[in-house]
Amino acid sequence: MTQAQAQTQAVAPSATRLYRGVIADGVFKVMLGAAFIGGAARLGDLLGVSAWLMIASGVALLIGGGIEIRYVRSRAMGTYMRLMVAYDSGWVLTALVGVLIAWRSGTAGGEVWIGYQTAAPLALAALLIAGMPVRPTHV
């Protein structure tokens, strides 16, 4: 192995680590969805959101996380990375908007954030399902 190959291998994350990261992200969404469903009334009260929206968000997270895990080996890792960066950027942005609304004594901050948690996982799932499958490599 040349020095350049060794440096590239040390810097670039292995495909196995990337797959594990995507699976961990999907598992997190599934667990968050289960928590939203299980604690819909209590969490809804804390966030100022109705229980039905918490349940809808939980179901969306279960679907999105499940699809993310299901398609991990059949979609390009670049596609996953772009979608995950977009998803997480939206997550942070809506959390900041929610905090800003609450800070200004508004009551819709929780609805903004939970609304995102309802729509974004379904959009992520749809994009993964519609994405081009990775061609299998024949060795």
Side-chain angles (χ1 to χ4, degrees):
M1 180 182 303
T2 68
Q3 184 179 7
Q5 288 172 327
Q7 286 175 341
T8 301
Q9 196 172 35
V11 173
S14 71
T16 302
R17 284 183 29 204
L18 290 174
Y19 287 127
R20 287 180 185 161
V22 170
I23 291 169
D25 190 72
V27 168
F28 177 78
K29 285 180 182 75
V30 168
M31 290 173 50
L32 187 61
F36 279 14
I37 292 169
R42 177 87 170 119
L43 290 172
D45 286 344
L46 290 172
L47 293 170
V49 177
S50 60
W52 71 264
L53 184 55
M54 292 298 300
I55 292 169
S57 182
V59 169
L61 284 161
L62 287 172
I63 291 168
I67 296 294
E68 192 172 348
I69 294 165
R70 161 70 176 85
Y71 283 90
V72 72
R73 295 267 185 209
S74 62
R75 297 296 182 259
M77 200 47 59
T79 299
Y80 264 100
M81 292 300 116
R82 285 188 298 276
L83 290 174
M84 288 170 62
V85 166
Y87 181 97
D88 290 344
S89 297
W91 199 79
V92 170
L93 181 62
T94 56
L96 291 173
V97 168
V99 168
L100 179 64
I101 290 170
W103 181 62
R104 298 197 50 146
S105 300
T107 59
E111 290 172 346
V112 168
W113 190 69
I114 295 300
Y116 179 80
Q117 294 304 318
T118 306
L122 297 176
L124 175 71
L127 291 169
L128 285 173
I129 291 169
M132 295 294 292
V134 174
R135 283 192 256 159
T137 57
H138 299 282
V139 180

